[in-house]
């Protein structure tokens, strides 16, 4: 429901700062309260990050910063996957539980009381000597879609077990080089920088390589007139995979370890071997994707001019923006090793271009009267225009897969194409008045009128904000309190508009054509399709500004001559007229649903910060900052007659795991609460009797699929039977609080810093458990929990339910609390130790500064979460879901800072 926090870089708005060289940043400030953020208008509705890049100053300075290091992922059996023999034992156990007393026969593991590991898994279950390997026949680059049916692939079992996680993840190098030249004086200043980063992904065949150049300069034409620019150019090449949905990481914990990476002839092995599931070979996926690269070129920055006149006025104009272009390709290889193969080849090429500009003009008046009244008035206008377009081309039927040959024009199949275009604009006028009386009492007021192309009735909105501050420490009654250096009470209230989550075409009903649903053979000749049009979007011309009503009250204290600094804020944010697209009745041909102003949400919390500055000894100094933030969210309203909406069905037969409901926070997990297991037939009979009495149905069951060793769900509504009404809220991905601790120590020429970050009170939905802890969830890799800690008559205090060949309502077929875990953690985000060469040594070589350091990122994580990484992302209304997270690598770096 809320957009990502935007950034203002040197006065130019952007949603993406990945292209900015971190060494070019002079300072970064996060504005959340209405009093400070409201001047930035609609783009600051969710807060705004202000970034200022470096300027040249002082004498000529040449700087080099560089580092080289390695990135490491967890080692060992990360997903706690069973060995091949243990998988076979679990299969026997599940079949015995499902069909007690019946003889077991399996295509891979034979017949009898105990399973036997095969020598070959393709042909399934064959022993050594039973297969004529000379009959092997696979063409891995086949072009005839029917050819795969005639292949004779042979795969030997990996009886020791394949660690698929370690097969797709490797330690990977990372390096960065940054060079800059800067100077500043009365006539102006300049800074020129070049940077290069080369980062290989820990996931095989992924990488990022980026070049960045920046020029910042200012020329003082005279005492009153200045011109300048801040411009950056970035070019990046990358090969990345999408970690949303099915991907190589998912396949790594789904692929059984008895399957080797390669077959007997070095081609890829996989689930073409029978009875081993339907996962893809993740090594094969990554190898086939190694040439799927993209290149992005970007120009970002602004030019500006400033004029001082009449001693109290400053006029400024700034024109800036962003131009980016991305082009790339992806080639889809035919596969042969999987249970479900792709039998065609296909090339997809795409190109997109984004362009936006911002032109702002301001006039500032600043004057002090009688040394008591300080007045500052700012008036301005801002125009913004954005456009984006994308084209995609697809071709099939290549006889050669050589990257030098493959192009859209060399495919023999039908070429298809698609395109997309959008644009939007904003125009704003604003004013801000700041008044300070006697350096004690501070008042501020902002008014801004934003007009957007995304709305039509009306286009504009008025958004005011006020703030006030009282410097209590300046009062006469504080004169004798020497231990208080500064004490300020402040507060603010404001309304900001938001339109960022609305499609630019939301106001308009649009039409388009589709070969599959709007073309029709009117003549009935089966060879003369006639193009037709269908409604693609339902327009809402009455949609208007979403309003964020922000209020805060806070206190700032500087104590003991600056040794201790405290900040405390209480904030409240009410989102009214929230833009939400309600679900329409499900019928064929339904168009895209428009956003309407119907929802409402509230956020409250505390922001606390404490910083200390201490000289422990003349040589040992300590600086530390502790931050603490609480966050409480509540959905107040969704729509008339709508009390919730569900998301993320995953593998639960249409039942969603996320419910956004009135009276609850965003993104909560929802399903059946487990109270334990059904440990005896007497318990089952008693529960069923209760259900039969409550319903009057002699055949009623307390819950569907009830049985020994299965989950026992809580009867939330107390009606004596488990129905959909017994689903309840199981967990909240929103944390109770987050905290950070930054410690900096210096001792003579040594320096040490460490940043710890913690999250407490959030829950995670561990979807990986669905795949690994239940034998019934596809015939893939399973965990030690499934074999050693599942319910049996002699192990009733187990973690997982009884293992069976088929799933049920009472095990893994519906969302339940088994998948919810505590996601709290503490992580050492950054630890660094440095040494600066003494100046008396550097002076001999004409060097101003030389510092060497070692650094570790993500050094350790303390958590009870069983997954690979508790730090997860997601959408604004569905997050904290782990279905195979890309683990944050541990980095070890060696670096240098040099100034000449």
């Amino acid at each position: 429901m809320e957009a990502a926090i935007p950034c203002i870089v040197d006065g130019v708005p952007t949603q993406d700062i990945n292209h900015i060289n971190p060494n070019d940043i002079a300072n970064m400030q996060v504005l959340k309260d209405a009093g400070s953020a409201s001047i930035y208008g609609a783009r600051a509705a969710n807060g705004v990050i202000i970034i200022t890049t470096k300027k040249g100053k002082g004498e000529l300075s040449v700087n080099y910063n560089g580092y080289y290091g390695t990135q490491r992922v967890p080692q060992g059996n990360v997903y706690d996957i069973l060995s091949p023999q243990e998988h076979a034992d679990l299969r026997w156990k599940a079949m015995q539980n499902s069909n007690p007393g019946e003889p077991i026969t399996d295509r891979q593991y034979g017949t009898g009381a105990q399973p036997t590991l095969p020598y070959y898994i393709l042909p399934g279950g064959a022993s050594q000597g039973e297969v004529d390997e000379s009959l092997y026949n696979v063409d891995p680059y086949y072009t005839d879609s029917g050819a795969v049916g005639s292949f004779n692939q042979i795969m030997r079992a990996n009886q020791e077990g394949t660690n698929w996680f370690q097969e797709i993840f490797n330690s990977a190098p990372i390096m960065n080089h940054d060079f800059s030249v800067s100077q500043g004086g009365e006539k102006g200043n300049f800074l020129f920088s070049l940077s290069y980063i080369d980062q290989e992904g820990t996931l095989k065949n992924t990488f990022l390589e980026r070049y960045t150049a920046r020029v910042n300069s200012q020329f003082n034409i005279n005492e009153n007139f200045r011109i300048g620019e801040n411009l950056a150019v970035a070019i990046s090449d990358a090969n990345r995979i999408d970690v949303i949905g099915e991907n190589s990481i998912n396949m790594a914990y789904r692929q059984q370890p008895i399957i080797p990476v390669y077959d007997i002839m070095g081609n890829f092995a996989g689930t073409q071997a029978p009875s081993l599931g339907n996962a893809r070979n993740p090594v094969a996926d990554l190898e086939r994707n190694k040439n799927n690269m993209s290149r992005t070129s970007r120009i970002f920055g602004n030019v500006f001019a400033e004029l001082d006149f009449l001693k109290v006025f400053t006029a400024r104009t700034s024109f800036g923006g962003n131009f980016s272009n991305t082009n790339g390709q992806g080639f889809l290889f035919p596969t042969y090793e999987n249970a479900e193969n792709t039998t065609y080849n296909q090339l997809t090429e795409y190109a997109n271009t984004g362009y936006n500009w911002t032109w702002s003009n301001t006039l500032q008046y600043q004057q002090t009267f009688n040394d008591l009244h300080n007045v500052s008035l700012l008036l301005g206008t801002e125009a913004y225009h954005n456009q984006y377009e994308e084209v995609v081309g697809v071709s099939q039927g290549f006889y050669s897969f050589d990257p030098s040959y493959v192009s859209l024009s060399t495919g023999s199949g039908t070429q298809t194409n698609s395109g997309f275009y959008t644009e939007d604009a904003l125009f704003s006028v604003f004013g801000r008045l700041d008044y300070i009386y006697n350096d004690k009492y501070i008042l501020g007021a902002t008014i801004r009128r934003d007009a957007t192309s995304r709305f039509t009735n009306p286009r504009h909105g008025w958004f005011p904000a006020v703030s006030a501050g009282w410097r209590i420490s300046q009062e006469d009654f504080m004169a004798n309190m020497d231990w208080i250096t500064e004490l300020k009470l402040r507060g603010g209230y404001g309304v900001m508009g938001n339109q960022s989550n609305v499609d630019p075409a939301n106001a308009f009903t649009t039409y388009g054509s589709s070969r599959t649903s709007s073309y029709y053979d009117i003549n009935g000749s089966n060879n003369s399709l006639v193009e037709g049009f269908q409604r693609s979007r339902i327009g809402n011309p009455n949609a208007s500004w979403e309003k964020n009503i922000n209020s805060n009250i806070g206190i700032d204290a500087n104590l003991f001559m600056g040794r201790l600094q405290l900040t405390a804020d209480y904030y409240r944010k009410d989102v009214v007229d929230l833009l939400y697209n309600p679900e329409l009745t499900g019928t064929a041909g339904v168009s895209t649903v428009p956003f309407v102003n119907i929802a409402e949400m509230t956020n409250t919390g505390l922001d606390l910060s404490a910083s200390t500055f201490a000289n422990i000894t003349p040589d040992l100094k300590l600086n530390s900052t502790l931050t603490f933030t609480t966050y409480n969210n509540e959905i107040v309203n969704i729509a008339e007659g709508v009390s919730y909406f569900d998301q993320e069905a995953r593998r639960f037969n249409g039942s969603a795991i996320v419910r956004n409901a009135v009276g609850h926070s965003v993104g909560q997990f929802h399903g059946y609460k487990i109270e334990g297991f059904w440990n005896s037939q007497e318990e089952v009979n008693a529960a069923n009797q209760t259900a039969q009495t409550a319903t009057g149905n002699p055949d009623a069951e307390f819950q569907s699929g009830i049985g020994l060793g299965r989950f026992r769900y809580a009867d939330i509504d107390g009606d004596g039977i488990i129905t959909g009404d017994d689903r309840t809220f199981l967990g909240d991905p929103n944390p109770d609080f987050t905290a950070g601790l930054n410690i900096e120590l210096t001792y003579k020429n040594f320096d040490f810093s460490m940043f710890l970050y913690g999250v407490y009170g959030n829950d995670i939905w561990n979807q990986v458990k669905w795949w690994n802890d239940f034998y019934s969830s596809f015939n893939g890799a399973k965990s030690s929990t499934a074999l050693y800690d599942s319910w049996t008559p002699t192990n009733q205090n187990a973690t997982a339910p009884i293992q069976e060949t088929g799933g049920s309502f009472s095990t893994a077929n519906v969302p339940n609390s088994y998948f919810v875990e505590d996601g709290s953690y503490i992580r050492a985000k950054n630890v660094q130790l440095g040494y600066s060469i003494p100046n008396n040594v550097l002076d001999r070589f004409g060097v101003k500064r030389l510092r060497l350091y070692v650094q570790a990122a993500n050094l350790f994580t303390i958590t009870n979460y069983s997954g690979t990484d508790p730090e997860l992302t997601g959408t604004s209304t569905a997050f904290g879901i782990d279905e195979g997270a890309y683990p944050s690598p541990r980095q070890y770096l060696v670096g240098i800072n040099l100034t000449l």
Side-chain angles (χ1 to χ4, degrees), residues 17 597 780:
I17 59 173
N597 299 94

Side-chain angles (χ1 to χ4, degrees), residues 239 286-293 329-331 333 401 403:
N239 186 354
L286 293 171
E287 179 65 24
R288 290 169 175 144
N289 290 337
K290 66 180 180 181
N291 293 316
N292 295 350
M293 293 180 286
Q329 66 175 29
F331 189 79
F333 284 81
F401 304 157

Side-chain angles (χ1 to χ4, degrees), residues 18-47:
N18 291 326
H19 62 282
I20 296 177
N21 175 15
N23 287 317
D24 287 341
I25 297 176
N27 57 68
M28 180 182 296
Q29 184 180 12
V30 180
L31 304 180
K32 294 191 292 184
D33 63 283
S36 58
S38 60
I39 193 68
Y40 297 101
R43 60 178 57 92
N46 301 304

Side-chain angles (χ1 to χ4, degrees), residues 66-343:
Y67 62 76
Y68 180 85
T70 182
Q71 308 163 95
R72 299 180 181 272
V73 293
Q75 299 298 303
N77 188 359
V78 173
Y79 297 119
D80 195 27
I81 298 298
L82 295 171
S83 70
Q85 183 61 59
E86 289 171 319
H87 270 90
D89 294 339
L90 177 62
R91 181 163 176 77
W92 247 239
K93 182 177 182 178
M95 288 193 288
Q96 289 168 352
N97 289 335
S98 300
N99 300 289
E102 292 189 10
I104 297 176
T105 298
D106 184 77
R107 189 170 179 181
Q108 291 287 2
Y109 303 115
T111 303
Q114 299 294 330
T116 301
L117 292 185
Y119 186 79
Y120 295 99
I121 57 174
L122 186 65
S127 301
Q128 188 174 9
E130 290 185 349
V131 177
D132 184 354
E133 295 187 354
S134 66
L135 298 178
Y136 178 95
N137 173 37
V138 170
D139 177 6
Y141 303 108
Y142 69 94
T143 57
D144 180 1
S145 61
V148 67
S150 63
F151 290 165
N152 182 32
Q153 189 173 17
I154 301 172
M155 303 179 196
R156 297 192 189 108
N158 184 351
Q159 297 186 356
E160 297 299 318
T162 303
N163 188 326
W164 288 101
F165 180 91
Q166 302 302 335
E167 290 291 341
I168 65 171
F169 281 100
N170 281 326
S171 297
I174 180 174
M175 68 174 177
N176 182 83
H177 302 281
D178 177 77
F179 171 82
S180 66
V181 180
S182 63
Q183 187 176 29
E186 294 182 1
K187 295 297 184 180
N189 59 72
F190 78 90
L191 176 140
F192 172 73
S193 72
L194 290 172
S195 70
Y196 170 72
I197 183 170
D198 185 8
Q199 180 179 15
E200 290 189 21
T202 53
L203 194 63
K204 281 187 176 180
N205 295 323
T206 60
F207 70 90
L208 169 66
E209 188 176 22
R210 184 176 65 232
Y211 302 84
T212 305
R214 171 173 290 277
V215 178
N216 289 355
S217 65
Q218 177 178 306
F219 302 95
N220 302 332
I221 308 302
N222 55 43
E223 293 182 355
N224 301 321
F225 185 48
R226 300 169 295 279
I227 61 172
E229 90 290 324
N230 307 284
L231 296 176
V233 177
I235 300 174
S236 61
D237 293 325
N239 186 354
R240 301 173 178 175
I241 69 162
D242 191 352
V243 294
I244 303 299
E246 290 198 347
N247 57 69
S248 299
I249 300 176
N250 303 145
M251 300 304 152
Y253 63 74
R254 288 176 53 185
Q255 187 87 317
Q256 286 205 32
I258 198 171
I259 302 173
V261 178
Y262 304 101
D263 66 17
I264 64 168
M265 297 301 292
N267 294 316
F268 293 116
T271 51
Q272 181 74 22
S275 304
L276 297 178
N278 67 341
R280 301 190 309 271
N281 183 328
V283 176
D285 283 355
L286 293 171
E287 179 65 24
R288 290 169 175 144
N289 290 337
K290 66 180 180 181
N291 293 316
N292 295 350
M293 293 180 286
S294 66
R295 166 167 290 185
T296 298
S297 303
R298 184 188 300 268
I299 301 175
F300 180 87
N302 71 319
V303 293
F304 65 89
E306 293 179 343
L307 175 66
D308 302 326
F309 61 98
L310 300 179
K311 297 183 179 180
V312 294
F313 290 98
T314 298
R316 176 183 170 89
T317 184
S318 170
F319 184 86
N322 171 76
F323 176 85
S324 64
N325 175 264
T326 299
N327 60 78
Q329 66 175 29
F331 189 79
L332 181 67
F333 284 81
T335 60
Y336 52 87
E337 73 279 2
N338 302 313
E340 301 169 355
N341 285 307
T342 300
T343 58

